[in-house]
Amino acid sequence: DSTGSFTLSTGNLTADTVYALVDVTTATSPACTIANTDSVTVTVLAPLVATISATNVCENDTALITITGDVNSTVTYTDGLGATQTVDLGATGTASIVTPALTTDLTYTLVSSVMNGTPFCTNTVSGTATSTMLALPTATITGDITICENGSAVITFAGTPNAVVTYTINNGAQQTATLDATGTVDVTT
């Protein structure tokens, strides 16, 4: 144009592209031409990505949600309670979120990722992670209350199937018994 500049719109690029000058020719008569080897490279960044994982915990414990993605990006997610949150992945590309104490399963869902800085890239990301709340085990103890001298008694532990029950006899050393698949085990004294 009359100011000596021209803007070239690249359109949507999906790969790095080099724009190189070959020569410059004046619009005068006679036309003057000079070779020019200047160039510029347009670098196309890969789409932002993010993944999410969660730990399982016992009832009333806190779980750990881990989000991993591009360094120096901010990820938006919905927490297990339905609120939209953001977390900065910083220079490591990883962030950890501690859940509230679980009384039920909580599912966290990725929404988007935004690059912090220039260029300002954004991308929709998907993924979910569920922190499963494992119920606390239960156990009861029953058995013969009164027996004859030199007799034996059967003590029954009942509770969560396959759980390990720790008990003592007369406040002695701790012993263990494993409940079977139906949730019981008998110990004969």
Side-chain angles (χ1 to χ4, degrees):
D1 67 13
S2 62
T3 63
S5 66
F6 174 77
T7 301
L8 174 66
S9 179
T10 66
N12 294 333
L13 300 177
T14 58
D16 293 355
T17 305
V18 176
Y19 292 86
L21 282 172
V22 176
D23 61 39
V24 180
T25 302
T26 63
T28 61
S29 181
C32 300
T33 301
I34 186 170
N36 190 318
T37 58
D38 288 344
S39 66
V40 65
T41 300
V42 178
T43 302
V44 177
L45 300 175
L48 298 171
V49 296
T51 60
I52 189 168
S53 62
T55 59
N56 298 331
V57 294
C58 295
E59 185 176 356
N60 297 318
D61 285 344
T62 59
L64 190 65
I65 306 296
T66 303
I67 297 177
T68 304
D70 293 283
V71 297
N72 300 319
S73 64
T74 297
V75 173
T76 301
Y77 65 94
T78 56
D79 67 19
L81 304 174
T84 300
Q85 308 280 349
T86 60
V87 64
D88 186 351
L89 301 187
T92 64
T94 301
S96 296
I97 302 152
V98 177
T99 69
L102 297 186
T103 56
T104 186
D105 297 351
L106 287 181
T107 299
Y108 285 64
T109 304
L110 296 175
V111 175
S112 64
S113 182
V114 176
M115 182 170 289
N116 299 331
T118 304
F120 182 78
C121 298
T122 185
N123 192 36
T124 300
V125 292
S126 62
T128 60
T130 299
S131 287
T132 302
M133 187 273 310
L134 306 172
L136 295 174
T138 61
T140 59
I141 185 172
T142 58
D144 298 324
I145 303 299
T146 305
I147 61 171
C148 295
E149 184 177 358
N150 295 321
S152 64
V154 175
I155 306 298
T156 301
F157 296 101
T160 303
N162 304 310
V164 176
V165 176
T166 303
Y167 65 96
T168 63
I169 300 173
N170 293 327
N171 293 318
Q174 291 186 352
Q175 300 180 47
T176 61
T178 301
L179 303 181
D180 63 19
T182 66
T184 62
V185 66
D186 291 332
V187 175
T188 303
T189 62

